[in-house]
Amino acid sequence: MAVWTRTRGRMMADPGLVVAFAAVGALLVLFVLYPAVRVLIYPRLADYLAIPDNPRWLQAARNSLLMMVLSTLTATAVGFLYAFAISRRDMPLRRLFQTLSVLPLFAPPFMVAFSYILMFGRQGLITKALFGLDVNIFGWQGLWLVQTVAFFPFAALVIGAVLEQISPTVEYAALNLGATEGGVIRTVLFPLARPGVAAAALVVAISVLADFGNAVVIAGGFPLLATEAWFRIEGLADLKGAAVAVALLIVPTMILFLLERYWVGQRTYTVLTGKGTRIEQPPTPPLIRWLLFGGCVVVSAFVVIVYVGVLTGSVATVWGYKWTPTLAHWRLGLAQGGPQLITSLKIGALSALLTSAVAVLAAFITSRPTLPLRNAIDFLAVLPAALPGVFIGVGYLLAFNGPPIILSGTVWILILALSFWHIPLGYQAARAQLKQIDRSIEEAAQNLGATGMRVLWDVYLPLLGPAFMASFINAFIRAVTNLSIVVFLITPRTLVATYSILAMIGGGFWGAAAALTTALLAIPLLGVGAARLVLRVGLRPIGAT
Amino acid sequence: MKTGGGCPAGTSSEREGDMMRKVWILGLALVLLVGLGSGVTAQQRKIVIYSALDSEVTTRVVNAFTQRTGIATEVLTLAAAGTLATRITVERARPQADIFMGGSIDFHAPLARDGLLLAYKSPAANDPAIGKEFVDPTGFWHGWYIGALSIYWNTERLTGRAPATWDDLLDPRFRGQFLMPSPVTTGGGFIFVATQIFRLGEDRAWQWLKQLAANAQQFTPTAPAGIALVSRGEAIVGMNWGHDVQAMARNQGFPVGLVFPPDTATEIGGVSIIKGGPNPEGAKAFVDFLMTRVPQDINAQFGLRYAVRTDSPKPMGMPDRSTMKFVKYDRAWAIENQARIRQRWQTEIGR
């Protein structure tokens, strides 16, 4: 009671914070919870009770859990080592690795998987042409490889944001106290990175569970819950079955979420100064440095291969058979998808901005220890990662194609759906970063009379810059390459580029699809590059800034 | 600025002008809002079409329709019939489209059952060139093209004689090298299983399917996925819709051979009118139009799908329809037993 009244008292004293809290809460309830609930209550109870009669679903549930464990372990481990490597200032080719680690985020999932079939499949350039092997990449092994490569950047992004905040002074302090160089890494840096690792593992695990794009291309006859939901819809127009499959997916996600909150939330973490001091890092021990370097080379090679596949596909006359270079695919792709390209970029930018703003604000709110209901907001901000895009698309149509809020037929339904679906990564990055910022800075500001919102604006926002950028770029790329939501929410008046890509794939024009995808991703990439070159404002590569 | 008569002269005309400006702005905003919200109804003559065919055929058919009738169209082309059917289902509260064109009638019939379609019997379908099995007796859907199941193979990886009959698929040299769409998640896969049941009788059919499963590398969860894989040599032989194989593999330059084996089966490609759509009269005109030769010829020429009309030419590079031998396919029985057969597949074949 006493705590509650005190909490209320403090909240009342800070109307700005209350308004922000209410706004974020309302937005998440309306645009995450409400559509999700609408889909989940679409099937009847009997449909849910029939789950045990469907052996395919039980198998899919087992497979999904297996992949979650395998891919999360590898993607988080690779992501951690990679992020750690590029956080070392004395790492050779550091900038290059940094840029490469972000590249998988620029590839629509089906492209990663498709590239790997070309490279590592029965007719693979590497497996067959180079090593003469007869490899069947379809199934869980292939999926494991692809998911590791596709999701390690998520982990690297989240962990990198945390590692970057660790001041070199801590390392010096440990060294001065007699720790060995390896000991510093083990006893100081690893524990400090732990909230980042936990947050990253959560994001990766949830993404693996909900992963559709990779699985649909490479899993073959290996049923998984996320793809099962899609097959129910596309193969059988069975929305009830799809909703049941997704409901099965939400259970493990919920458990993961509670686990992460329990594991990380129960520990107090070392408090550091807000922004790193300008001291140089102590040198990394050579053995560790070169081991990390070797690891980065191997991982980067796997990343580069994805792009070699996509680029080759866009210029090879017949993929796999007639390698004569041609620009015909590019001409066709740009002629058919040109105008949609522009629409995509606009929608992507708008939705990414909204994603990042809500993600950072939500992270700030849930980091306030005094606010009631913050766990609910916390959950809602992570939940979208557990929902396959198909589910979001259907949910938005069910929720917003009638009173009280009618959005269908407008471009806003698409923008909002894309925005709220991509919140989790930015939110996790911001949360992880907030945990590393010294409370005393905030206390100083409060002592000087700053309100909660003022603290956010003047103290945290500048420090959250990297998380905001990471969130923006990720959300933007996911939005312009999205297919699963788009197919439900576009209208003939608002066509986007991925719609054309789907049409090309449907017609068998893989080359043109690869060309249009490349153009779709190259334009924002070149834009960012050009802006950086012109402004030279120190906007560092996104990865681990 | 003078305001209209009737009003008593205001003491402060400036304030009144301010008021008027506000009213004007409010009114304008309202008109804009309403205008934006009712974009569909403003264009009475326009019809909205969801098409599950490829964009080339769709564009050509729709343009021919507008040329013929003067009715403008708005088209959403998604080569994903199940997704469009689902979309129509969830748009029930406020239907956004008039026409659902393309995709097997197995997608149209359930929509009719759920009360989402408008019944209409097109007079154009009475044409003697159109068999009456292609039109739903209750008028909820009209069939306007057909596709047939085929066997196809990668000519560079195949050694020896090409398969010509369903039974050839059991040949041990195809062990681990055969692909087909899953009967659990695709319509094509299901029609294939039902075909074997009609051909061999149920008990023998399951024995046969088990032998086939021993040869299978995978049962692809979507139908087109297998075509891309056989094209690129990931497997040697597959079963799929002939027109899709022709369009996605052979016409793209991949080394793929194709045959329609005896006792094959077909899907009927449909068109239906969505109940409560913005322009039902325009939609009826569109269904009438699809029953005529122009759109069916376009579909045969550019989509390689056989027309239901007997007077339309056959698709290029494909055998004449009269040379194909079809199994006695009982559609009603197949639909009735669909859930049971899918269940049995999962327990007996298990993948």
Side-chain angles (χ1 to χ4, degrees), chain A residues 42 53-54 56 122-123 138 220 231 233-236 239 319 321 401 406 408 487-488 490 493 499 508, chain B residues 74 77 80 82-83 87 90-91 94 96 154 156 185 217-218 221 231-232 234 252 254 342-343 346:
Chain A
Y42 190 81
D53 300 335
N54 198 325
R56 196 178 159 96
R122 278 239 161 86
Q123 300 287 302
F138 295 95
F231 303 145
I233 285 182
E234 178 43 36
L236 311 171
L239 180 54
W319 209 335
Y321 286 98
N401 185 37
I406 298 176
S408 63
V487 293
F488 286 98
I490 40 163
R493 291 178 295 281
Y499 161 81
Chain B
E74 260 181 9
T77 311
T83 301
R87 195 173 157 146
V90 281
E91 281 176 348
R94 246 166 38 103
Q96 304 281 319
N154 186 305
E156 287 195 356
T185 57
Q217 182 195 80
Q218 57 171 299
S231 303
R232 290 166 175 84
E234 289 292 325
Q252 308 282 320
F254 286 104
R342 285 198 160 122
Q343 189 72 35
Q346 290 184 54

Side-chain angles (χ1 to χ4, degrees), chain A residues 275-315:
Chain A
K275 197 66 180 171
T277 40
R278 291 283 164 215
I279 306 173
E280 284 292 311
Q281 264 174 355
T284 318
L287 180 67
I288 294 179
R289 193 170 77 217
W290 290 108
L291 276 178
L292 285 173
F293 179 77
C296 283
V297 169
V298 173
V299 175
S300 304
F302 274 96
V303 170
V304 169
I305 283 168
V306 175
Y307 283 84
V308 172
V310 175
L311 277 175
T312 321
S314 76
V315 293

